[in-house]
Amino acid sequence: MKLAIVDLAYGNIGSIQFALQRLGVVPMVTAEPDKIALADRVILPGVGAAGFAMERVDCLGLRETLTSLRQPALGICLGMQLLFEHSEEDNTTCFGLIQGRVRALEAAPDRPVPHMGWSKIDVRSPELGLRTGDYVYFAHSYACDVGPATLASISYGRDIPAVVRQANWLGAQFHPERSGEAGSRFLESFLT
């Protein structure tokens, strides 16, 4: 299998590579549209700001390539947020592949922002490799709202999608590469 990790020259690419290698997959890291389009599976990683990420996508000429993919694709953390229509972060227009907006998390004394740490997940779709009650690792300050595309969620001041799916795109707000055994199960399900 040819698996491409989209290289926007920032973010969590190294940790995703290592997680995939532990599962026996050696991904190619590339920003070349043709290689991404011809891959069997594509991962759009992300750590950082929505505005900068979309600038990188457009600078590299990847918008059309990513929005026209038909093979299984996975957006991780910011990569998932970019699948939505708009982000409050930097007032950014995103890909618009999933209806909805990404908005800032609200801090509270018992709920710091950014949300960094382990949260218990509620799973609505068993084919994800995840189970209700699994703990997965998050690191984010923005999140979309629960909607028809939501397959799993957590509660952090509001219900937050942990996993979404629209057509061939799967999105994980959490970091499967840092989520231990549950994250490995999730990645394995994406690979099969």
Side-chain angles (χ1 to χ4, degrees):
M1 174 196 342
K2 288 192 291 188
L3 188 148
I5 298 175
V6 179
D7 185 5
L8 298 180
Y10 72 94
N12 54 333
I13 291 172
S15 57
I16 294 171
Q17 277 183 284
F18 294 133
L20 293 167
Q21 288 168 354
R22 285 193 300 271
L23 297 174
V25 176
V26 178
M28 69 175 150
V29 177
T30 183
E32 294 181 41
D34 291 345
K35 288 184 178 178
I36 294 167
L38 294 173
D40 300 311
R41 300 261 190 294
V42 176
I43 294 179
L44 177 63
V47 171
F52 178 74
M54 290 306 296
E55 283 176 18
R56 293 291 304 149
V57 164
D58 289 334
C59 178
L60 294 166
L62 293 176
R63 185 184 292 255
E64 184 179 339
T65 299
L66 293 172
T67 56
S68 63
L69 291 177
R70 295 295 171 255
Q71 63 271 55
L74 169 63
I76 296 176
C77 195
L78 177 60
M80 171 181 143
Q81 294 176 13
L82 298 180
L83 302 178
F84 286 81
E85 294 169 308
H86 185 269
S87 176
E88 285 182 356
E89 186 176 26
D90 306 323
N91 191 26
T92 303
T93 299
C94 300
F95 292 128
L97 296 170
I98 301 176
Q99 265 192 328
R101 300 172 63 83
V102 177
R103 51 192 185 95
L105 295 175
E106 292 185 25
D110 63 337
R111 209 175 52 245
V113 173
H115 169 210
M116 296 188 71
W118 298 84
S119 288
K120 187 166 56 171
I121 195 168
D122 177 33
V123 179
R124 298 174 179 89
S125 186
E127 80 276 2
L128 298 174
L130 297 168
R131 298 185 284 263
T132 292
D134 280 341
Y135 280 84
V136 291
Y137 187 80
F138 290 81
H140 63 122
S141 298
Y142 290 80
C144 55
D145 292 320
V146 169
T150 303
L151 301 180
S153 62
I154 63 162
S155 180
Y156 198 77
R158 67 182 208 246
D159 285 341
I160 294 170
V163 182
V164 296
R165 173 174 282 139
Q166 182 68 43
N168 60 308
W169 275 97
L170 191 62
Q173 181 62 70
F174 71 99
H175 286 272
E177 76 280 11
R178 296 187 181 274
S179 293
E181 193 253 333
S184 291
R185 281 190 270 114
F186 177 78
L187 288 173
E188 282 183 301
S189 75
F190 171 68
L191 296 172
T192 55

